[in-house]
C-alpha cells in the first residue's frame, strides 16, 4: 500500500488504490456502486443512478470557468477477472494486491483492473479537488463494459447533458483515439450423452499453460498462442493415430481474452500410452518452436489420472475436435483506411463443459466494418453448425467511426503539443469502446479516447506504466481548461 501511495500524481494513485480494494467483477458491480454513492455523499456532489446501475456524478464549474461547455468524463467500473492457476483469489470478495515492479505497477498473479480503474481514479481525483480548473463537469461511470457493454447500451436519452465526452479507457499514452471496432459474440452449444468410461484404458490429463493471453482486440495481432486452438490441434493428431476417448475439455475464460490455459482428460489403450507420450513430445516441440518469439513460456504436460465416470462419445468428440480446429481465430483482415490497424478479427475464447450435458464454445468477433463483422460471425457459425452444434449470435455493439474534423481532437492535439513539445498520434483502435453506443443515444457528442500506457490487459500480466499516468493526468487537466464550444 505504501508504495502505490507514494506514486505521482498522488491524488490519482490514492483513488486507484481505494478502487483496487473494492471487488468489481463484470455483472457484480454492487460494491463499487456503493463506493461511488458514498464518495458523492462525502463530497456533497449530485449523483444520478439509472436502472442499469450507471452512475453520473456532477460538479459545478470552478470560478472563472463557468462559460465553458459541459464536459463528460467517462470510464467503466467493472474489470476482467483473470488469475494464474496457482493463485488463490476470490474476485467477488478479495481486494487486488498491487506490486510496484520497476517502472510498472502490476497485481500479484491476477488482473490489475487498471482497465478501467485508472480512468475511474482520475475522475474521482478531479471531483474531490476544488482547486482543479474546469467547466461544468459530468462524470459517467458505466457498468458491465467487459462482458457486452450493457451499461452503455442501457443508457437513456437525457441522462447526461454534455456535448463533449472524454473516454478514459485507452491504453497508450501519447495516442488520441477517434474510432474503434464494433463487436459481436457467437456461441455454439453441443449436447452429449455421457458414455461409461472404458475401464481397460489408461487416462491422462493434458494441460496447456504458460501462454500470455491478452486482450482479444488490442493484442490479437501479436500472434500469441491460443490454448483452445493448441489443444484442438493435439486432439486432432491423437484421433488420427489412435483410438481414444475424451472425457473432459475446457479452456479459456472471458470472451474478450485470448485463451491462456486449456485442459483435457483423455483415455488411450494401455498399449498406446508410450506412443501417445512420444506424440505429445513431438507436438510440444513444434508448438514451442512456433511460439518461441511471441509466447516462449508455453508449457504442455500430461499426467496420469484416475478413471473418470464417463466420456462424451466418439462421434460428438470427433465433431467437436474438427470444429474447434476449423474455427478461425486471429486477424482476418487489416484496414485499408488506416495503416497498421486490424480491421476484422475473431477470437476462439472459451470451451466449457456445463450442466445438462452441454459443451459451450464462446467466440467473439470484431471489425471496424459492420458487414465484415457479421460475415466473420457467420463464418464461425457455419463451422459449428456443420458440426451439429446449436449456434446463437449476440446482439453485438456498433463501432465508432472516426471524425478527423472533431473540435475536441483539435484542442487535444494542441494542448498535448503545448505541454510536451511533440505531436500525439491520432489512431483508431481494434478493441471495443463504449463510444459507438453513446452516439446512438447522443448523436451530437464530440469524443476522443485517451489514457496512460497499459499492457497485457485481460490477463494476469496486466500492468500500467507508472510515469505515463502523470503525463496523461497533466494533459487531462490542461484539456479541461480548454473545452471548445
Amino acid at each position: 500500500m505504501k508504495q502505490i501511495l507514494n506514486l505521482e500524481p498522488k491524488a490519482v494513485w490514492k483513488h486507484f488504490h481505494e478502487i483496487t480494494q473494492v471487488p468489481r467483477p463484470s455483472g457484480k458491480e454492487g460494491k463499487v456502486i456503493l463506493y461511488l454513492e458514498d464518495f458523492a455523499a462525502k463530497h456533497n456532489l449530485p449523483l444520478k443512478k439509472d436502472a442499469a446501475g450507471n452512475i453520473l456524478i456532477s460538479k459545478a464549474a470552478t470560478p472563472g470557468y463557468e462559460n465553458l461547455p459541459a464536459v463528460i468524463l467517462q470510464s467503466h467500473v467493472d474489470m476482467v477477472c483473470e488469475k494464474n492457476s496457482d493463485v488463490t483469489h476470490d474476485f467477488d470478495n478479495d481486494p487486488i494486491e498491487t506490486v510496484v515492479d520497476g517502472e510498472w505497477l502490476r497485481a500479484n498473479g491476477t488482473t490489475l483492473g487498471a482497465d478501467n480503474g485508472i480512468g475511474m481514479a482520475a475522475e474521482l481525483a478531479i471531483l474531490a479537488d476544488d482547486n482543479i480548473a474546469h467547466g461544468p463537469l459530468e462524470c459517467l461511470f458505466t457498468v458491465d463494459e467487459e462482458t457486452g457493454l450493457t451499461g452503455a447500451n442501457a443508457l437513456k436519452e437525457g441522462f447526461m447533458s454534455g456535448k463533449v465526452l472524454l473516454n478514459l479507457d485507452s491504453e497508450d499514452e501519447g495516442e488520441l483515439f477517434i474510432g474503434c471496432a464494433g463487436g459481436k459474440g457467437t456461441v455454439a452449444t453441443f449436447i452429449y450423452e455421457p458414455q461409461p468410461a472404458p475401464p481397460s484404458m489408461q487416462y491422462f490429463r493434458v494441460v496447456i499453460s504458460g501462454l500470455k493471453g491478452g486482450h482479444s482486440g488490442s493484442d490479437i495481432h501479436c500472434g500469441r498462442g491460443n490454448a483452445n486452438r493448441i489443444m484442438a490441434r493435439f486432439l486432432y493428431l491423437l484421433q488420427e493415430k489412435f483410438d481414444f476417448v475424451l472425457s473432459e475439455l475446457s479452456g479459456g475464460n472471458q470472451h474478450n481474452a485470448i485463451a491462456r490455459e486449456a485442459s483435457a482428460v483423455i483415455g488411450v489403450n494401455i498399449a498406446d500410452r508410450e506412443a501417445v507420450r512420444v506424440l505429445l513430445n513431438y507436438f510440444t516441440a513444434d508448438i514451442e518452436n512456433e511460439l518461441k518469439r511471441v509466447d516462449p513460456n508455453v508449457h504442455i504436460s500430461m499426467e496420469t489420472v484416475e478413471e473418470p465416470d464417463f466420456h462424451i462419445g466418439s462421434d460428438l468428440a470427433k465433431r467437436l475436435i474438427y470444429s474447434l480446429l476449423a474455427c478461425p481465430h486471429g486477424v482476418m483482415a487489416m484496414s485499408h483506411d488506416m495503416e497498421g490497424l486490424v480491421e476484422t478479427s475473431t477470437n476462439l475464447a472459451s470451451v466449457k463443459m456445463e450442466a445438462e450435458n452441454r459443451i459451450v464454445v464462446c467466440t467473439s468477433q470484431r471489425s471496424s466494418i459492420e458487414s465484415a463483422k457479421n460475415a466473420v460471425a457467420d463464418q464461425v457459425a457455419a463451422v459449428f453448425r456443420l458440426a451439429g452444434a446449436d449456434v446463437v449470435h449476440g446482439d453485438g455493439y456498433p463501432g465508432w467511426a472516426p471524425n478527423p474534423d472533431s473540435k475536441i481532437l483539435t484542442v487535444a492535439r494542441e494542448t498535448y503539443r503545448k505541454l510536451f513539445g511533440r505531436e500525439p498520434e491520432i489512431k483508431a483502435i481494434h478493441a471495443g469502446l463504449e463510444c459507438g453506443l453513446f452516439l446512438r443515444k447522443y448523436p451530437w457528442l464530440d469524443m476522443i479516447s485517451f489514457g496512460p500506457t497499459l499492457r497485457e490487459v485481460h490477463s494476469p500480466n496486466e500492468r500500467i506504466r507508472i510515469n505515463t499516468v502523470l503525463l496523461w493526468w497533466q494533459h487531462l487537466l490542461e484539456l479541461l481548461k480548454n473545452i471548445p464550444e
Side-chain angles (χ1 to χ4, degrees):
M1 176 178 172
K2 267 186 182 178
Q3 283 185 305
I4 192 172
L5 294 180
N6 289 331
L7 302 177
E8 294 289 347
K10 285 186 170 61
V12 175
W13 290 112
K14 169 184 176 292
H15 287 99
F16 182 71
H17 171 70
E18 290 181 0
I19 290 164
T20 64
Q21 305 307 291
V22 183
R24 50 193 176 95
S26 299
K28 299 178 180 180
E29 296 94 341
K31 292 177 181 177
V32 74
I33 289 171
L34 287 175
Y35 167 78
L36 291 172
E37 290 173 331
D38 290 344
F39 173 92
K42 176 182 175 181
H43 293 278
N44 297 311
L45 295 171
L47 178 144
K48 293 198 297 185
K49 181 169 71 172
D50 67 12
N54 297 313
I55 297 288
L56 189 78
I57 302 176
S58 302
K59 188 178 182 183
T62 48
Y65 292 86
E66 295 89 348
N67 293 328
L68 285 180
V71 63
I72 303 161
L73 302 182
Q74 187 267 324
S75 55
H76 63 84
V77 303
D78 60 317
M79 65 174 284
V80 169
C81 297
E82 286 277 316
K83 66 182 185 69
N84 290 324
S85 57
D86 59 347
V87 172
T88 300
H89 186 91
D90 179 0
F91 282 102
D92 289 349
N93 297 293
D94 295 343
I96 300 297
E97 181 184 344
T98 58
V99 179
V100 174
D101 187 359
E103 62 184 12
W104 298 91
L105 182 81
R106 59 174 176 82
N108 187 16
T110 71
T111 38
L112 175 63
D115 175 17
N116 189 216
I118 198 66
M120 292 178 64
E123 291 187 67
L124 295 178
I126 293 167
L127 288 169
D129 191 338
D130 292 332
N131 295 315
I132 293 175
H134 58 76
L137 195 62
E138 294 178 318
C139 288
L140 176 64
F141 303 90
T142 52
V143 299
D144 199 26
E145 187 266 357
E146 298 289 6
T147 60
L149 299 93
T150 55
N153 195 39
L155 202 65
K156 301 296 185 184
E157 296 175 14
F159 189 64
M160 52 193 187
S161 60
K163 301 295 191 295
V164 174
L165 187 144
L166 305 180
N167 172 276
L168 307 179
D169 190 21
S170 293
E171 300 165 9
D172 288 280
E173 192 280 323
E175 298 181 359
L176 305 176
F177 291 91
I178 59 172
C180 72
K184 191 171 190 174
T186 303
V187 178
T189 302
F190 294 87
I191 305 296
Y192 66 92
E193 291 292 335
Q195 305 292 319
S200 58
M201 286 187 155
Q202 176 75 62
Y203 290 90
F204 297 100
R205 181 178 298 277
V206 181
V207 176
I208 297 167
S209 61
L211 295 167
K212 292 179 181 179
H215 192 294
S216 63
S218 56
D219 295 322
I220 198 70
H221 65 288
C222 298
R224 295 173 184 167
N226 179 305
N228 292 323
R229 284 184 63 80
I230 294 171
M231 183 64 78
R233 284 176 60 179
F234 174 68
L235 294 177
Y236 180 85
L237 291 176
L238 188 67
Q239 76 176 11
E240 289 294 294
K241 294 178 178 293
F242 303 100
D243 291 329
F244 87 105
V245 295
L246 179 64
S247 294
E248 295 180 20
L249 181 62
S250 65
N253 189 17
Q254 305 290 341
H255 77 98
N256 50 10
I258 300 167
R260 298 180 298 109
E261 299 174 333
S263 171
V265 172
I266 60 172
V268 301
N269 292 321
I270 292 176
D272 294 329
R273 58 188 179 183
E274 292 306 318
V276 170
R277 286 191 181 276
V278 170
L279 176 68
L280 183 67
N281 289 339
Y282 278 111
F283 177 75
T284 299
D286 287 342
I287 296 299
E288 289 174 345
N289 180 60
E290 291 173 19
L291 298 178
K292 62 186 177 183
R293 302 298 182 196
V294 291
D295 245 326
N297 296 319
V298 61
H299 181 70
I300 306 176
S301 63
M302 186 169 74
E303 296 182 351
T304 302
V305 294
E306 293 184 1
E307 179 186 314
D309 294 331
F310 66 90
H311 69 92
I312 67 173
S314 58
D315 178 66
L316 187 281
K318 182 176 292 187
R319 289 186 284 115
L320 176 62
I321 293 166
Y322 282 170
S323 60
L324 290 174
L325 186 61
C327 179
H329 168 83
V331 175
M332 304 297 287
M334 299 297 292
S335 173
H336 299 293
D337 298 320
M338 191 167 287
E339 186 176 354
L341 175 68
V342 176
E343 175 208 277
T344 306
S345 73
T346 182
N347 178 42
L348 180 55
S350 66
V351 182
K352 297 179 181 179
M353 296 182 72
E354 300 186 351
E356 299 177 344
N357 299 338
R358 300 189 310 153
I359 300 174
V360 179
V361 182
C362 292
T363 72
S364 61
Q365 292 75 50
R366 301 176 189 267
S367 183
S368 49
I369 298 176
E370 188 73 7
S371 59
K373 178 186 75 177
N374 292 331
V376 71
D378 288 342
Q379 181 180 352
V380 170
V383 167
F384 287 109
R385 284 178 177 142
L386 283 169
D390 178 63
V391 180
V392 177
H393 292 299
D395 292 334
Y397 55 89
W400 167 28
N403 174 19
D405 299 321
S406 159
K407 291 182 179 179
I408 190 61
L409 172 64
T410 299
V411 174
R413 177 185 281 165
E414 290 172 352
T415 51
Y416 191 89
R417 186 191 307 122
K418 173 184 171 184
L419 282 170
F420 306 119
R422 62 182 186 269
E423 286 286 335
E425 295 186 57
I426 312 304
K427 290 189 172 184
I429 190 171
H430 187 57
L433 296 170
E434 293 158 291
C435 298
L437 285 167
F438 296 148
L439 285 176
R440 281 184 174 179
K441 310 290 176 61
Y442 300 85
W444 56 81
L445 281 175
D446 190 9
M447 300 183 291
I448 60 168
S449 177
F450 65 129
T453 298
L454 282 72
R455 288 294 177 265
E456 298 192 58
V457 299
H458 297 186
S459 85
N461 296 320
E462 179 188 0
R463 59 197 184 275
I464 184 168
R465 191 186 292 270
I466 293 166
N467 70 327
T468 65
V469 176
L470 179 59
L471 299 175
W472 169 65
W473 173 248
Q474 292 171 336
H475 188 208
L476 174 59
L477 296 190
E478 187 66 21
L479 192 51
L480 287 178
K481 296 187 290 187
N482 294 277
I483 299 298
E485 292 284 352

